[in-house]
Amino acid sequence: EKVPKKDLLREDFLELCQTFHKVLDSDDYMDRLLDFVHLVVQTQRGDLRRERKRRRWLEVMSLLPQISGSDHSLYFRSFFDIIEKDFAYHGNGRLINAYIALIEVDPDADEEDEDKTLLKYVASTTN
């Protein structure tokens, strides 16, 4: 059965904390619990910011084909620019290596060849 969501009032939260403190009967447990709650709240805020920023970048990426027309190089440069910005913003200093490959029919494949497709690498990050 689903429990309806409702906001927890400050007084209720304080009462809940006091109850935990009485039950656990140790400051160490209470400190660890409060550290955990703080960590969860901070993580959720970070996730929300990241999600909003990525949504904006995805909107830009969805418009790129209309803007770039038949100029694939402009699309690829813009695409990697967005990916690199995302990683710079959320990657904690790490570098990203990515590429774009297109699947093509192999013109040199014989009838006996099982795999008649090739990957044609058309763009990559500079790292």
Side-chain angles (χ1 to χ4, degrees):
E1 179 180 334
K2 288 189 175 185
V3 177
K5 279 188 167 183
K6 69 177 191 177
D7 292 335
L8 185 64
L9 299 174
R10 180 183 172 97
E11 297 80 21
D12 294 338
F13 180 72
L14 290 174
E15 183 180 332
L16 181 64
C17 288
Q18 289 170 348
T19 303
F20 271 124
H21 186 58
K22 287 177 189 172
V23 170
L24 297 175
D25 197 29
S26 169
D27 287 336
D28 183 48
Y29 285 117
M30 190 63 185
D31 289 342
R32 289 174 34 203
L33 175 64
L34 291 175
D35 288 344
F36 174 75
V37 168
H38 180 72
L39 178 66
V40 168
V41 169
Q42 291 299 97
T43 302
Q44 289 174 345
R45 285 184 186 154
D47 289 345
L48 289 173
R49 276 193 302 264
R50 184 177 353 197
E51 183 180 336
R52 280 193 300 266
K53 192 165 237 11
R54 284 182 173 165
R55 280 188 197 277
R56 278 186 266 144
W57 287 336
L58 285 173
E59 288 171 8
V60 169
M61 286 171 44
S62 68
L63 295 174
L64 285 175
Q66 297 167 8
I67 296 168
S68 63
S70 61
D71 184 4
H72 296 300
S73 63
L74 175 62
Y75 178 78
F76 295 149
R77 277 195 309 271
S78 300
F79 179 79
F80 282 118
D81 184 49
I82 289 170
I83 289 175
E84 286 172 347
K85 282 181 184 176
D86 180 71
F87 220 78
Y89 192 78
H90 304 294
N92 297 323
R94 294 174 290 173
L95 296 176
I96 184 171
N97 292 310
Y99 60 88
I100 296 175
L102 303 176
I103 298 175
E104 294 184 345
V105 175
D106 184 0
D108 299 327
D110 294 331
E111 290 296 321
E112 297 84 34
D113 290 339
E114 286 183 30
D115 191 8
K116 297 179 172 79
T117 59
L118 296 172
L119 280 179
K120 180 180 179 182
Y121 296 93
V122 294
S124 69
T125 55
T126 56
N127 302 346

